[in-house]
Amino acid sequence: MITVVGIGADGWDGLTPASRRAIAAAEVLVGSRRQLGLVPDPVPDPERDGSPRAAGSPSRVVLPSPLLPNLEPLLESLAGREVCVLASGDPMFHGIGSTLVRLLGPDRVRVLPHVSSVSLACARLGWPVEQVEVVSAVGRPLDALRPALAPGRRVLVLGSSPDAVTRLLAEAGYAASRVTVLSDLGAATESVRPADQAAPTRLHVIAIECALAPGAEPLPRVPGLPDDAYEHDGQLTKREVRAVTLSRLAPLPGELLWDVGAGAGSVAIEWMRTHPSCRAVAIESHPERAARIRRNADTLGVPALQVVEGRAPDVLDGLPVPDAVFVGGGATVPGLLDRCWAALRPGGRLVANAVTLETEAVLADWYVRLGGDLVRLAVQRAAPVGGFTGWRAAMPVTIWTVTKRDAS
């Protein structure tokens, strides 16, 4: 059993009696140098009015860097000893407690949380915690903040700098937002200041009250972003078709999509924007388009999109099992649909779009074999016709949708 104790910037004085007893009972105390420095040496004995522990203080071990590849060997070296691991604030909120539970299982980890930095920040600002979105940039690109931005929303950012956040807000059209930096929450050196007046310490939280700049347009999380939100060379699933396609793919939290023949990456990107836990792999054979997908993913707030450069079906081997597959191009390539169908998990959805007669014939054949749903979309847009306005038709798109459960 490993005990994980959350500790705040207020150090030993802010710990509960249970957390103090856990530290005092440990043979080994593990944490960052800063966290270890918050615990007195020698460790006071809570059962003896704060006098030094009779058995002596626990030995201290600094967490290795990089953490993940070195954590298991460290734990193995401490096997059989009473180990207490220090964590900042709530260990289960973007903390080492979650990592230890994942490695060892919940039955081998006991967690004693402290007040999280999010709760402290909301208390100082008077923000209801349940109405605040939290974005962690610890070990992640800050571009993940973009989907959380919306007029009037309140967002807390962990693990970034005020300068980086204000630059991103300006790029995204939210330069009018109010940005506050809260440093050393709970400590005697605590400060709450506007970003342009702050001198942030290593421990800080950045609070954003989102305000859209004049003339800027907010981007919703629902599918169907404007076509001009994407950098593209014409290979783009157009807005109306994209919205219908995503409705057929039906993304759920935590699910994984293969976007085969991704073009500009719009379907994969909007799949991931529906929920922070949604994942996607974009497969694209053209190097310049693959680079463009990466830029679009960063700009639209899903930097974790995995881009695989190569020709399907050859590059599909070894990819994680998908919950849904979208084939936006290449359906006529021999073996491509077979490979996608075989990879799909039971209950998964396959959606394929066609604009040519040849691709439509392939989808019609699969529809006869497996069933599903076959629809054709025809979109027309108003456009000038001389001094008047008329309808200009886009190429019709045939969409085939099938669920593996239904087909079986």
Side-chain angles (χ1 to χ4, degrees):
M1 178 67 70
I2 287 180
T3 300
V4 186
V5 171
I7 189 168
D10 48 0
W12 183 261
D13 292 340
L15 293 177
T16 64
S19 294
R20 291 184 179 186
R21 287 194 295 270
I23 293 174
E27 297 177 80
V28 182
L29 189 60
V30 180
S32 68
R33 293 187 188 279
R34 181 190 63 80
Q35 292 161 348
L36 292 171
L38 294 171
V39 177
D41 190 10
V43 173
D45 189 340
E47 308 300 334
R48 302 176 62 209
D49 299 323
S51 301
R53 196 178 71 158
S57 286
S59 59
R60 301 187 178 213
V61 176
V62 177
L63 282 169
S65 180
L67 177 64
L68 291 180
N70 294 300
L71 186 56
E72 282 192 90
L74 172 62
L75 296 177
E76 291 172 2
S77 71
L78 300 176
R81 305 179 72 185
E82 191 74 25
V83 177
C84 179
V85 178
L86 298 177
S88 295
D90 185 346
M92 300 302 292
F93 187 74
H94 298 291
I96 195 171
S98 304
T99 304
L100 290 171
V101 169
R102 187 172 65 250
L103 289 175
L104 305 175
D107 295 337
R108 292 185 57 196
V109 181
R110 181 171 68 121
V111 178
L112 300 175
H114 193 273
V115 179
S116 72
S117 59
V118 168
S119 293
L120 288 171
C122 288
R124 301 298 187 267
L125 297 167
W127 292 1
V129 178
E130 73 277 7
Q131 296 177 14
V132 174
E133 185 155 359
V134 180
V135 176
S136 174
V138 178
R140 303 174 180 87
L142 183 59
D143 285 314
L145 169 62
R146 294 176 186 267
L149 302 176
R153 292 290 293 166
R154 291 168 169 174
V155 183
L156 293 179
V157 181
L158 311 178
S160 187
S161 71
D163 288 345
V165 169
T166 52
R167 281 196 303 270
L168 184 144
L169 290 173
E171 293 170 5
Y174 285 86
S177 301
R178 180 184 297 173
V179 181
T180 304
V181 180
L182 303 96
S183 300
D184 292 340
L185 289 170
T189 55
E190 176 182 308
S191 67
V192 180
R193 297 177 180 173
D196 58 357
Q197 301 175 18
T201 61
R202 185 181 175 195
L203 293 178
H204 66 268
V205 178
I206 301 172
I208 306 169
E209 295 180 85
C210 298
L212 202 62
E217 290 291 333
L219 294 178
R221 286 190 176 182
V222 296
L225 295 181
D227 292 346
D228 60 10
Y230 293 92
E231 178 188 348
H232 64 90
D233 60 0
Q235 292 297 313
L236 174 74
T237 302
K238 300 303 188 290
R239 182 178 193 174
E240 296 81 6
V241 175
R242 193 186 325 128
V244 174
T245 298
L246 266 297
S247 74
R248 298 304 182 101
L249 288 167
L252 294 173
E255 287 193 327
L256 172 71
L257 170 74
W258 284 3
D259 184 355
V260 182
S266 61
V267 171
I269 287 169
E270 294 191 24
W271 167 283
M272 292 182 67
R273 282 176 61 91
T274 62
H275 193 272
S277 66
C278 285
R279 300 162 295 138
V281 181
I283 298 99
E284 177 53 57
S285 60
H286 297 274
E288 64 277 11
R289 289 179 184 161
R292 195 176 290 121
I293 291 170
R294 294 185 181 95
R295 293 195 295 272
N296 283 331
D298 289 344
T299 300
L300 293 169
V302 288
L305 172 63
Q306 180 183 352
V307 181
V308 174
E309 190 175 319
R311 190 171 296 278
D314 298 338
V315 297
L316 301 180
D317 292 333
L319 295 181
V321 176
D323 300 285
V325 177
F326 172 59
V327 180
T332 57
V333 174
L336 176 60
L337 287 177
D338 300 86
R339 179 69 182 84
C340 292
W341 182 251
L344 197 62
R345 68 161 180 82
R349 291 85 64 199
L350 173 64
V351 177
N353 289 3
V355 294
T356 67
L357 291 174
E358 290 79 6
T359 305
E360 194 173 78
V362 171
L363 299 189
D365 179 62
W366 277 81
Y367 173 69
V368 170
R369 290 162 52 191
L370 296 180
D373 190 32
L374 197 63
V375 300
R376 178 179 286 174
L377 296 182
V379 177
Q380 300 178 357
R381 291 184 175 85
V385 180
F388 298 91
T389 303
W391 294 106
R392 294 194 184 277
M395 293 183 67
V397 179
T398 300
I399 302 178
W400 175 54
T401 307
V402 65
T403 301
K404 202 163 192 178
R405 178 182 58 250
D406 297 339
S408 61

